[in-house]
Amino acid sequence: MSSDGDEAGYVRFFPYDEPYDHQRDAMDRIYDALGEGSDVLFEGATGTGKTLAALVPALEYAREEDKTVVITTNVHQQMRQFVHEARAITEQEPIRAVVFRGKGSMCHIDVGYEECQALRDATREIVEKEQDLAELNERESTLLEDSQAGSDEAAEARGAVLEELEGIEDDLEDLRENGNTCDYFYQNLRGNTDEFYQWLFADVRDPDDIYEYAEMEGFCGYELLKEGMEGVDLVVCNYHHLLDPGIREHFFRWLGRDPEDVITVFDEAHNVEDAARDHATRTLTENTLDSALDELAEQDDPAAEAAMNVVRAFRSALIETYDDALGFGDRERIEGNWEDCSIANEDGRDDLTINFLQAYTGPGYDVDLQAALKFGRALDEKYEEAYKNGEASTRQECQTLQAVQFVTAWMDEGTEQGHYPVVSVRRDEAGGDVYGRAELYRCIPQEVTRSLFDELHASVLMSATLRPFEVTEDVLGLDDPETMAYGAQFPEERRRTYAVEAPALFSSERDDPAVQATVTDALEDAIRFTPGNTLAFFPSYSEAERYYDRVQADGEWFLDKPATSATELREAFTDSENGVLFTSLWGTLTEGVSFDDGDARTVVVVGVPYPHLDDRMDAVQEAYDETFGDGGGEWMGTEDAGWAYAVEIPTVRKTRQALGRVVRSPTDFGARVLVDKRYTQVGERELGNYTVRETFPPEERAEMIDIAPEKLKFAMLNFYGDMDAWDGPPPKP
């Protein structure tokens, strides 16, 4: 271990007075693991200082071994926290840090990736021509002087230079007339960027600061960031920079690093599973197929026939598949969200593949697909050249290539384990026709993540809810990582966790009037006996709205709905002194959002938030069962690996995340209320395998106090009385 006397060397990167004891222990273990090239699974309850505990030893090891640290998250608030911590570090021990965000949010002219690439290529070509022109002009001037001094050789050479100058001037005129260039990128290439980089590395700048500075100076800040990333100590970025294989390849090139020279820190790492699955999933809409057919109809090239064969057959098969799947009246009720249709067959290929093979007519779909890929790539290159040459005002995307690449993947991968074929439908935005989408859904995240973790020097994956570690290890494909868990570090007497013996809120019981009455009473008691704001989480938005309408209590009511601005809702709620926020556990307020001190005193979780159990969730369960069942997985807590890995453990993590929204500092206090018998010891005895209590870590179970619904108000009254939380007389039971 690097040391300075008895003090670990990494402490130079710790920006505050002293690490907590548990932080120091975590930093020691992480530093040692990095030295061994081992990955780390790091669970820490709210307030354990996970970010610094991971970042500080990573920066020290990277400084010693000439590596770069990349810290990544999928939560905007966490990225702001990383910027705050990085700024604190650099005030004490200067580091070169870059905060990286996607191009779409930093582009000054709002163009897509393909068009941006073409604009940059054309702009770079102009700059190169201008540089050639300047060099030739200087050469011509020198030769003119020599020829005037009587040199015949200089006069002859000058004639050749003048001829070349005329050609370059003509080329430049043509390029400028095309107009397909970017003024911001031109300024990057021609302007003096030294002051930008001096400003950039004088502190830790967030992307909004960079956008504003670049706009003011006429630069493209995104491209300057890419150019300036080489040799930095720390990069802050989004998940997709690492989890998307295509972006990752570019990202490492911008860093100027091979993967083995990169240390990653994944925050909120319980989300990596779903994020990796999303990045690996491929989709193709009916609209893209229509655009591809229109595109092909305009081609006067016999080579387009192969692409026409496969695209037309796949479109026909897609429509036939969802038409057959929709029952009487189903089409009329479809709205703007994608809805899955069941197409899987137990004994063979899915319905879409069968319909495609029946609709296809040609020499062989595999032969046509290869020819279609070749034609699509050539057509895409044609669009690129047309844009560069000014023959087109925008960089056209090749719809044929997109469609053919997807169909090729569908036919090659659709039957592989962990690849689940899906067809979905929705109504278009104008409320008109229903149209379809084919999706190749990736069930096993480790097919994406294992290669990443194998390539990197090491990774630290941290979250408040990573346990059971064995499941995280299995799902992400980690090999023998170092594991560490640190529970709540704040005084236990300042928090209470009540497991209310209310009926188990199975979906079949939620409409029962007696069940609703019990839940309503428990909610009203929790709200009434909370000296401040109450967060109420439910298994769905519809359940949140149900109790928003039912519950009667004094206070200011807030209802979260899909597509509601979480930031605006949170601000309005925390500005209240006696507010109640009703929301879904599957919404955006369960994690990465702090409700400190008086922002929220009590959090209530109603029910067990199992996800919607549809065909694709069944496919994930089946894939996990095949991969991790029968001894294939590390976790021995259950015989049903598919259910445990895909449903129960993620569900309990979601509940634990919700409970962590309150009691976020040593001086904070609050109550956490679980309203469902499945969280109780009584439920363990009465409900058997339906209980979820055993899935919580042991120290969290130990804090759960079973309580009858009618006793909750007395318990909360006593707890908040002990905290001296009432401004005036407490409410009477």
Side-chain angles (χ1 to χ4, degrees):
M1 178 182 299
S2 174
S3 61
D4 183 10
D6 293 331
E7 190 72 276
Y10 56 68
V11 173
R12 62 178 165 155
F13 291 104
F14 192 81
Y16 307 116
D17 289 341
E18 285 289 334
Y20 298 125
D21 289 343
H22 68 272
Q23 270 185 313
R24 192 181 295 275
D25 181 68
M27 287 190 281
D28 283 344
R29 296 175 64 185
I30 290 170
Y31 180 88
D32 290 343
L34 296 178
E36 296 171 1
S38 297
D39 297 319
V40 177
L41 294 177
F42 174 20
E43 180 176 295
T46 300
T48 52
K50 294 186 293 294
T51 299
L52 287 176
L55 193 53
V56 165
L59 286 170
E60 171 67 14
Y61 183 81
R63 179 71 61 86
E64 294 171 353
E65 301 296 329
D66 188 27
K67 300 188 184 301
T68 294
V69 178
V70 176
I71 187 166
T72 180
T73 184
N74 66 337
V75 179
H76 290 304
Q77 180 163 311
Q78 290 302 105
M79 183 167 284
R80 290 193 292 270
Q81 179 65 25
F82 295 162
V83 173
H84 173 77
E85 302 286 19
R87 284 173 176 163
I89 289 170
T90 200
E91 287 177 5
Q92 176 169 306
E93 179 70 23
I95 59 173
R96 288 164 57 88
V98 167
V99 183
F100 209 72
R101 199 161 62 189
K103 190 198 81 67
S105 64
M106 296 187 70
C107 181
H108 301 280
I109 58 175
D110 193 25
V111 296
Y113 176 79
E114 296 289 346
E115 188 165 351
C116 176
Q117 179 66 51
L119 286 172
R120 284 186 282 118
D121 289 346
T123 304
R124 186 176 283 108
E125 188 174 357
I126 282 181
V127 169
E128 290 171 354
K129 292 287 185 183
E130 288 176 343
Q131 290 170 341
D132 291 343
L133 187 65
E135 291 173 3
L136 285 171
N137 275 323
E138 185 176 345
R139 173 68 173 154
E140 187 273 334
S141 178
T142 301
L143 291 171
L144 176 60
E145 291 178 4
D146 292 345
S147 64
Q148 289 174 340
S151 171
D152 293 337
E153 290 182 2
E156 184 178 351
R158 179 173 175 266
V161 169
L162 285 171
E163 185 176 341
E164 190 174 353
L165 272 171
E166 185 178 353
I168 289 180
E169 286 170 346
D170 289 343
D171 290 344
L172 265 174
E173 185 178 353
D174 290 342
L175 287 169
R176 287 167 177 160
E177 284 179 357
N178 290 341
N180 292 331
T181 58
C182 175
D183 292 339
Y184 292 94
F185 187 61
Y186 180 87
Q187 184 66 9
N188 285 13
L189 298 176
R190 297 294 280 173
N192 186 343
T193 60
D194 291 346
E195 288 188 5
F196 171 84
Y197 286 116
Q198 289 172 5
W199 169 83
L200 178 68
F201 293 120
D203 199 348
V204 180
R205 312 295 185 180
D206 68 37
D208 291 333
D209 293 336
I210 294 166
Y211 181 93
E212 292 174 7
Y213 186 97
E215 176 77 25
M216 181 176 62
E217 298 296 329
F219 292 126
C220 173
Y222 179 79
E223 290 298 323
L224 287 180
L225 273 185
K226 285 165 52 177
E227 294 296 325
M229 285 172 64
E230 189 167 348
V232 297
D233 300 294
L234 174 67
V235 179
V236 181
C237 66
N238 298 316
Y239 274 3
H240 67 262
H241 290 103
L242 292 171
L243 294 181
D244 185 296
I247 296 175
R248 182 166 74 234
E249 182 179 349
H250 294 299
F251 184 69
F252 287 144
R253 188 168 66 249
W254 301 334
L255 281 176
R257 294 289 196 184
D258 292 326
E260 58 263 29
D261 291 321
V262 175
I263 299 165
T264 61
V265 179
F266 279 86
D267 183 57
E268 303 292 352
H270 60 280
N271 289 321
V272 172
E273 175 182 356
D274 285 340
R277 186 179 290 123
D278 289 343
H279 279 91
T281 294
R282 308 182 192 187
T283 60
L284 177 67
T285 67
E286 185 178 332
N287 292 344
T288 300
L289 288 164
D290 289 340
S291 297
L293 290 174
D294 291 342
E295 182 178 61
L296 288 166
E298 297 174 356
Q299 306 304 312
D300 186 18
D301 187 336
E305 183 179 353
M308 182 71 81
N309 284 344
V310 293
V311 173
R312 185 168 48 209
F314 201 82
R315 178 187 180 276
S316 174
L318 176 62
I319 294 171
E320 181 180 356
T321 301
Y322 69 69
D323 276 344
D324 290 346
L326 294 174
F328 179 77
D330 286 345
R331 182 181 289 270
E332 288 69 28
R333 66 167 180 75
I334 293 170
E335 297 180 349
N337 295 322
W338 288 110
E339 297 185 30
D340 289 354
C341 302
S342 179
I343 67 167
N345 295 301
E346 293 183 2
D347 300 326
R349 299 298 295 258
D350 61 273
D351 293 341
L352 175 54
T353 302
I354 293 171
N355 289 334
F356 168 68
L357 293 174
Q358 292 175 342
Y360 170 78
T361 56
Y365 74 83
D366 51 347
V367 175
D368 268 351
L369 278 173
Q370 291 304 310
L373 281 171
K374 183 178 180 180
F375 176 78
R377 293 186 182 111
L379 187 57
D380 192 56
E381 291 174 4
K382 179 181 175 183
Y383 292 153
E384 176 89 10
E385 289 301 315
Y387 184 67
K388 285 182 179 179
N389 297 334
E391 299 168 13
S393 59
T394 60
R395 202 296 189 182
Q396 186 173 343
E397 293 187 18
C398 184
Q399 306 297 310
T400 298
L401 182 59
Q402 291 185 31
V404 173
Q405 285 176 331
F406 179 87
V407 177
T408 302
W410 182 278
M411 299 305 293
D412 288 347
E413 302 172 13
T415 58
E416 294 179 6
Q417 180 182 335
H419 295 72
Y420 182 65
V422 183
V423 166
S424 307
V425 292
R426 75 174 180 185
R427 195 168 301 280
D428 67 29
E429 293 180 358
D433 294 337
V434 170
Y435 68 103
R437 177 183 72 177
E439 179 179 351
L440 198 56
Y441 184 67
R442 187 73 67 94
C443 297
I444 306 292
Q446 66 163 264
E447 295 177 13
V448 175
T449 55
R450 180 182 288 278
S451 61
L452 169 64
F453 295 129
D454 285 348
E455 290 177 356
L456 296 165
H457 173 78
S459 296
V460 180
L461 294 91
M462 62 184 187
S463 168
T465 55
L466 275 184
R467 286 181 286 177
F469 289 132
E470 298 90 345
V471 173
T472 303
E473 183 178 340
D474 283 343
V475 169
L476 299 183
L478 296 165
D479 293 324
D480 195 26
E482 175 77 11
T483 61
M484 57 190 74
Y486 300 87
Q489 301 297 310
F490 308 141
E492 187 174 342
E493 62 270 16
R494 299 184 70 81
R495 64 182 182 269
R496 290 289 186 277
T497 306
Y498 300 110
V500 179
E501 297 167 0
L505 292 174
F506 299 111
S507 58
S508 60
E509 304 294 325
R510 292 175 187 169
D511 292 329
D512 187 320
V515 171
Q516 291 179 15
T518 301
V519 172
T520 301
D521 289 345
L523 278 166
E524 289 176 348
D525 287 344
I527 294 164
R528 185 175 172 218
F529 289 92
T530 294
N533 291 342
T534 302
L535 279 166
F537 289 100
F538 299 83
S540 66
Y541 284 109
S542 60
E543 285 295 289
E545 187 169 8
R546 183 204 296 271
Y547 287 97
Y548 174 86
D549 293 332
R550 285 186 59 93
V551 172
Q552 302 294 316
D554 293 334
E556 190 176 0
W557 258 220
F558 299 88
L559 177 63
D560 188 14
K561 294 182 178 181
T564 299
S565 168
T567 300
E568 293 178 6
L569 183 65
R570 181 194 176 281
E571 289 176 355
F573 170 67
T574 55
D575 285 343
S576 177
E577 294 183 356
N578 191 26
V580 186
L581 174 55
F582 295 77
T583 185
S584 167
L585 277 151
W586 296 98
T588 57
L589 294 171
T590 55
E591 57 184 271
V593 180
S594 296
F595 294 90
D596 301 322
D597 296 313
D599 288 349
R601 281 285 170 230
T602 296
V603 57
V604 184
V605 175
V606 177
V608 178
Y610 286 123
H612 179 56
L613 301 179
D614 52 17
D615 284 350
R616 71 172 67 206
M617 181 55 70
D618 288 343
V620 174
Q621 288 187 62
E622 182 179 343
Y624 278 1
D625 214 28
E626 290 178 3
T627 305
F628 305 122
D630 297 326
E634 294 291 333
W635 194 51
M636 298 297 113
T638 178
E639 295 179 359
D640 191 348
W643 173 263
Y645 279 54
V647 181
E648 182 166 315
I649 290 167
T651 295
V652 169
R653 283 176 178 156
K654 186 65 70 174
T655 301
R656 295 175 64 205
Q657 285 286 334
L659 294 181
R661 294 314 93 202
V662 299
V663 193
R664 301 183 67 84
S665 73
T667 58
D668 201 356
F669 59 91
R672 293 91 65 89
V673 182
L674 296 161
V675 183
D676 193 300
K677 186 180 288 187
R678 285 171 288 183
Y679 294 114
T680 67
Q681 289 180 308
V682 171
E684 283 186 300
R685 295 192 296 270
E686 295 181 0
L687 299 174
N689 292 335
Y690 292 105
T691 186
V692 295
R693 184 186 179 95
E694 280 296 318
T695 309
F696 285 80
E699 73 275 11
E700 293 181 18
R701 292 199 303 270
E703 289 193 23
M704 293 180 185
I705 302 170
D706 283 14
I707 194 166
E710 64 273 13
K711 299 288 183 64
L712 176 63
K713 57 187 173 182
F714 298 105
M716 293 185 64
L717 179 64
N718 291 335
F719 169 68
Y720 283 120
D722 291 342
M723 293 295 101
D724 195 22
W726 306 100
D727 291 335
K732 294 183 179 180

